[in-house]
Amino acid sequence: APILLITSPANNTIPAVTMASDNSSATVTISGEALDSVGCTYLEFVWVPDTIAASGKTSLAKELLSTITSEQDHTALLSASPKTYDSGLKLWAVSLGEASLYENSGLYKQDFSFDVDLFNDFICSGINEKASDKSFVAKLTRKDGNVTYAEYKLLADTDLPTIVPLS
């Protein structure tokens, strides 16, 4: 099965956020690599809002991802990315870079990158989930049609800092 690695934001780190000059957006870039012995054709990420019941939210995302069965489906989604569904799920179709042999390992590496806007991309059915954890389900498809699913979470930090005066 292909391997999907998220390289940025790195695990257990605070992501770099690019703020708009008028504070209308806060962009975080999610990037990584796909590794596989034959290479991959396409990649999709689905945001699963916390307001969707915990039971079945992964299966709901996988059900949506299973409808993307061809490179034509993926290409059509690229122009509409992200696409919001009635269920509140939001789908990003992500372009993969050219496959290159990774350090004589027999694996092909393909880079990817896409942006999420912390202020505008995480609103579901009128409920603002800016301060909630961001849960994603990803689907990576190999050139031979085999797929792998992975779950990722961008954790929210809602704790206010404790400021102690120096004595």
Side-chain angles (χ1 to χ4, degrees), residues 92-167:
W92 282 264
V94 182
S95 296
L96 289 169
E98 289 295 318
S100 61
L101 198 56
Y102 183 67
E103 299 178 1
N104 296 322
S105 65
L107 296 175
Y108 289 94
K109 178 179 96 166
Q110 293 169 270
D111 297 324
F112 66 87
S113 180
F114 70 104
D115 293 334
V116 295
D117 180 350
L118 297 177
F119 286 174
N120 301 302
D121 284 338
F122 303 105
I123 297 172
C124 165
S125 304
I127 299 170
N128 188 336
E129 298 199 13
K130 291 179 197 175
S132 301
D133 292 347
K134 310 297 184 272
S135 300
F136 296 90
V137 176
K139 175 187 173 188
L140 179 61
T141 304
R142 282 177 23 146
K143 288 184 177 180
D144 64 5
N146 287 336
V147 300
T148 189
Y149 292 93
E151 293 182 51
Y152 294 96
K153 189 170 282 196
L154 183 61
L155 297 177
D157 181 0
T158 56
D159 295 335
L160 296 175
T162 301
I163 301 172
V164 179
L166 296 173
S167 37

Side-chain angles (χ1 to χ4, degrees), residues 1-4 43-44 46 58-59 61-69 136-141 145-152:
I3 299 168
L4 184 61
L43 171 65
E44 290 83 27
V46 172
T58 299
S59 62
K62 284 184 178 179
E63 186 179 306
L64 171 62
L65 289 167
S66 70
T67 64
I68 305 163
T69 57
F136 296 90
V137 176
K139 175 187 173 188
L140 179 61
T141 304
N146 287 336
V147 300
T148 189
Y149 292 93
E151 293 182 51
Y152 294 96

